[in-house]
Amino acid sequence: QAFGPRATHPLAPPLLGEREGMAAPAVIAAPSTPDEVGGAGEPAPASPRAKRQRVEGNGDRPLDVDALLDVLVKLKRRSPGGQTCFLPKETVDAMCHHVREIFAEQDMLLELVAPLNLCGDIHGQFHDLLRVFEYSGYPPAANYLFLGDYVDRGKRSLETVLMLFLYKIKFPENFFLLRGNHESPSICRIYGFYDECKQRYSVKQWRTFCDVFNHLPVCAVIDERVICMHGGLSQQMLEPGVRVRELVKQVQRPADIPDSGFLCDLLWSDPHP
């Protein structure tokens, strides 16, 4: 199963790799970002004026995805040391709830088609994430597959993971996130994300994020030729008669990462030099 119908907007980039029985991912006209032509909040020339996207949150108040993205994107005007913002706990809970449902609805193995930008570890370096979007295009002008490790080590894990979650909510069929080994309670408890959540929100908020991490997909196949995961190949994938697609899809969610076995290898098995 591939995600999304072919885009028809005249500004949409051409989609490669489409074949019979496989639809290309949707590419929608890009919304404006701060500092674009015409000022903040105005669409680029020749782009239709899009409605502000609102989705249902946990409570009665809807989640204004566009307004939240505007807040995060505008942080690029500050120096990396000042790129911090505080979103209300209720808003963060609503985001986590909604994005978890999207992850749960999509397969553990994502079957995608090009064009697609592949991005490695971000590790809480929010300024680097903003630079990726500056150079490669803000969604959905470009499609993305991130390969995991969004939190820990860097000082802006919350801003990083919240921006990624918001783009996933807004463009669920153009923007994809795989799980890394740091999207695990036993690892992000030690390397910084737990402390960041505890200092700025609460331990309960950290557990909410970990619940979302347990629903992330772990593998993707692009154009039936390229296989992507955070770690590496598992010995189980090389056994005679094994169908890798079925092996991945059999992983049940919510998924704790075991100390050994197939799922552990997908997230931890680094290639030998």
Side-chain angles (χ1 to χ4, degrees), residues 121 123 147-149 178-183 218 228-232 265-270:
D121 300 7
H123 275 311
L147 303 181
D149 278 13
L178 296 185
R179 188 175 187 177
N181 55 2
H182 280 257
E183 281 70 62
V218 296
C228 303
M229 71 282 288
H230 180 76
D265 291 341
L266 290 181
L267 274 59
W268 280 95
S269 180
D270 294 332

Side-chain angles (χ1 to χ4, degrees), residues 39-82:
E42 295 186 12
S47 296
R49 188 175 294 276
K51 294 181 179 179
R52 306 289 286 183
Q53 182 176 3
R54 293 175 181 268
V55 297
E56 294 299 326
N58 268 333
D60 297 328
R61 297 181 60 185
L63 190 64
D64 193 334
V65 176
D66 291 294
L68 293 169
L69 280 171
D70 285 346
V71 169
L72 289 168
V73 171
K74 285 178 181 178
L75 293 176
K76 70 181 181 180
R77 300 173 179 175
R78 305 180 187 175
S79 65

Side-chain angles (χ1 to χ4, degrees), residues 15 18 160 192 198 207 261 266 273:
L15 297 179
E18 185 175 357
T160 298
K198 183 179 179 181
R207 294 194 181 101
L266 290 181

Side-chain angles (χ1 to χ4, degrees), residues 156-226:
R156 302 289 181 269
S157 290
L158 282 167
E159 283 77 13
T160 298
V161 76
L162 290 175
M163 172 171 267
L164 293 173
F165 283 180
L166 283 169
Y167 274 127
K168 181 61 182 177
I169 293 171
K170 186 170 177 63
F171 305 113
E173 298 180 353
N174 297 79
F175 194 87
F176 302 96
L177 305 173
L178 296 185
R179 188 175 187 177
N181 55 2
H182 280 257
E183 281 70 62
S184 168
S186 61
I187 301 300
C188 67
R189 171 66 178 84
I190 301 171
Y191 289 96
F193 187 51
Y194 171 88
D195 294 328
E196 188 174 338
C197 288
K198 183 179 179 181
Q199 179 181 3
R200 296 174 59 181
Y201 289 98
S202 65
V203 174
K204 183 179 179 181
Q205 197 71 65
W206 173 76
R207 294 194 181 101
T208 300
F209 279 109
C210 290
D211 184 42
V212 179
F213 296 159
N214 285 340
H215 288 78
L216 282 164
V218 296
C219 194
V221 174
I222 304 173
D223 283 344
E224 298 185 356
R225 297 178 60 189
V226 180

Side-chain angles (χ1 to χ4, degrees), residues 98-175:
H98 195 75
V99 78
R100 183 189 64 192
E101 296 303 309
I102 294 174
F103 290 137
E105 290 172 0
Q106 295 181 348
D107 288 339
M108 263 294 197
L109 173 68
L110 303 175
E111 299 194 34
L112 311 175
V113 295
L116 203 64
N117 292 311
L118 303 183
C119 302
D121 300 7
I122 301 296
H123 275 311
Q125 296 183 173
F126 183 64
H127 61 285
D128 284 340
L129 178 62
L130 290 173
R131 291 195 337 182
V132 168
F133 292 143
E134 285 288 320
Y135 288 123
S136 300
Y138 283 86
N143 300 325
Y144 286 93
L145 173 63
F146 286 82
L147 303 181
D149 278 13
Y150 314 114
V151 301
D152 289 338
R153 297 200 172 112
K155 296 182 178 180
R156 302 289 181 269
S157 290
L158 282 167
E159 283 77 13
T160 298
V161 76
L162 290 175
M163 172 171 267
L164 293 173
F165 283 180
L166 283 169
Y167 274 127
K168 181 61 182 177
I169 293 171
K170 186 170 177 63
F171 305 113
E173 298 180 353
N174 297 79
F175 194 87

